[in-house]
Amino acid sequence: MFDTSVLLKDLKRHVDNDISPVAVEAARRQYSYLGHAKVSFLAPPSVKEAVAAEVQAVIDAAGVRRDLEIAQTDNSPRRMRNVGQADIFEFSKIIPQVYAAEPLLQAISAVAGESVHPCPWEPEQYIITCLEKDGDTHGWHWDDYTFALVWVVEAPPVSDGGFVQCVPGTSWNKDHPDVNRQLVNRPIYSLELFPGDIYLMKTNTTMHRVYPVKSGRRKIINMSYASTSDLSLTVDHRTMSYFRGVVPEEV
Ligand SMILES: O=C(O)CCC(=O)C(=O)O
Ligand SMILES: [Fe+2]
């Protein structure tokens, strides 16, 4: 069992004392040029272990199988087991607290180069995804809010897929998403990830996907954050709603 207040103190101590300004600066530059950066240094091992343990427990307790194609992202597939925000909130103690922890927000903001805020629409705040069957994938898409902080809990070797690919400098026209046009117009970057890694992505202007897994399992929690300008936008939540298990009436 984890003691939440001890973990939150660990997180604050880590952000205040242990993060190297050189590492932050390198990540900030990469993020600003390429729309993504590994930021595994953002959290101490104690917090990563606690988050990973909760991800494992929550997926076992509440994971729901999805096998969909999403029209608003050019019918790209979602083949996975996932758990939406409401169930994560119900089954976990640490994740909601880590998500909203002020030191974490400050550390993400330093890499992003602008203020980062919890998503004002709760169902979008965090989601757990497990790829576990041959061909499971989170297909090409953009996210509704500007930032995603993804914590990797399990990942297969690259030879079995499950790595992230992204195309920075693209934007989502929900009526004409034209995924293939973005793929031929711009370079694709691929990102190898290991358990314990964390990456930050500018997901509203970086089209991204998880390469289909051949075998093995991949588990992550994606924490979504809003920019200051997101806070004053009216965001159309329909795409994610269906697949996050929120009924349309709640949108
Ligand atoms: O699984 C990943 O690394 C990315 C997840 C993602 O893109 C999302 O949840 O919107
Ligand atoms: Fe995404």
Side-chain angles (χ1 to χ4, degrees):
M1 216 33 205
F2 299 104
D3 182 330
T4 307
S5 66
V6 170
L7 286 170
L8 292 175
K9 278 189 199 135
D10 272 3
L11 180 58
K12 179 165 169 38
R13 192 178 318 118
H14 178 81
V15 170
D16 288 347
N17 305 313
D18 299 343
I19 297 185
S20 137
V22 175
V24 171
E25 180 54 19
R28 192 191 64 72
R29 278 166 156 273
Q30 205 215 314
Y31 175 85
S32 81
Y33 288 124
L34 300 179
H36 70 282
K38 265 200 202 188
V39 290
S40 308
F41 57 80
L42 282 194
S46 59
V47 172
K48 289 184 185 179
E49 279 160 26
V51 166
E54 277 204 341
V55 166
Q56 302 277 14
V58 170
I59 194 100
D60 289 346
V64 176
R65 193 65 213 169
R66 314 267 175 201
D67 202 335
L68 304 169
E69 288 172 1
I70 304 277
Q72 280 177 310
T73 57
D74 223 355
N75 294 311
S76 61
R78 308 290 185 278
R79 284 196 264 281
M80 57 182 57
R81 194 148 56 100
N82 70 8
V83 187
Q85 184 270 344
D87 283 333
I88 298 172
F89 190 82
E90 184 183 333
F91 286 102
S92 77
K93 275 179 25 190
I94 293 151
I95 290 165
Q97 308 253 11
V98 168
Y99 174 75
E102 203 51 50
L104 184 64
L105 296 175
Q106 279 167 22
I108 305 168
S109 301
V111 175
E114 60 179 304
S115 296
V116 163
H117 314 273
C119 278
W121 196 59
E122 287 177 359
E124 199 82 38
Q125 290 182 336
Y126 30 81
I127 185 161
I128 291 171
T129 298
C130 172
L131 306 183
E132 58 192 351
K133 294 214 278 199
D134 237 32
D136 269 7
T137 182
H138 193 152
W140 290 110
H141 68 285
W142 295 262
D143 296 348
D144 279 324
Y145 288 95
T146 298
F147 311 105
L149 187 74
V150 176
W151 305 55
V152 179
V153 174
E154 281 183 45
V158 153
S159 52
D160 286 333
F163 53 92
V164 169
Q165 297 192 294
C166 67
V167 185
T170 56
S171 61
W172 187 8
N173 176 337
K174 289 187 180 177
D175 298 319
H176 300 286
D178 211 347
V179 161
N180 290 351
R181 173 59 50 204
Q182 322 288 345
L183 293 174
V184 297
N185 278 358
R186 292 186 172 264
I188 303 171
Y189 296 87
S190 298
L191 183 60
E192 182 172 11
L193 295 160
F194 302 94
D197 274 343
I198 304 175
Y199 71 89
L200 180 67
M201 187 174 279
K202 193 167 198 296
T203 43
N204 62 337
T205 56
T206 305
M207 189 176 81
H208 55 284
R209 75 153 174 178
V210 182
Y211 195 93
V213 297
K214 258 202 303 213
S215 64
R217 259 196 330 244
R218 181 181 189 277
K219 288 183 183 164
I220 58 102
I221 179 163
N222 176 5
M223 298 184 177
S224 248
Y225 292 94
S227 64
T228 303
S229 73
D230 289 340
L231 298 179
S232 54
L233 286 180
T234 310
V235 175
D236 170 3
H237 297 295
R238 275 171 303 179
T239 315
M240 294 304 164
S241 311
Y242 287 105
F243 128 80
R244 289 179 188 215
V246 178
V247 294
E249 287 70 31
E250 291 175 12
V251 178

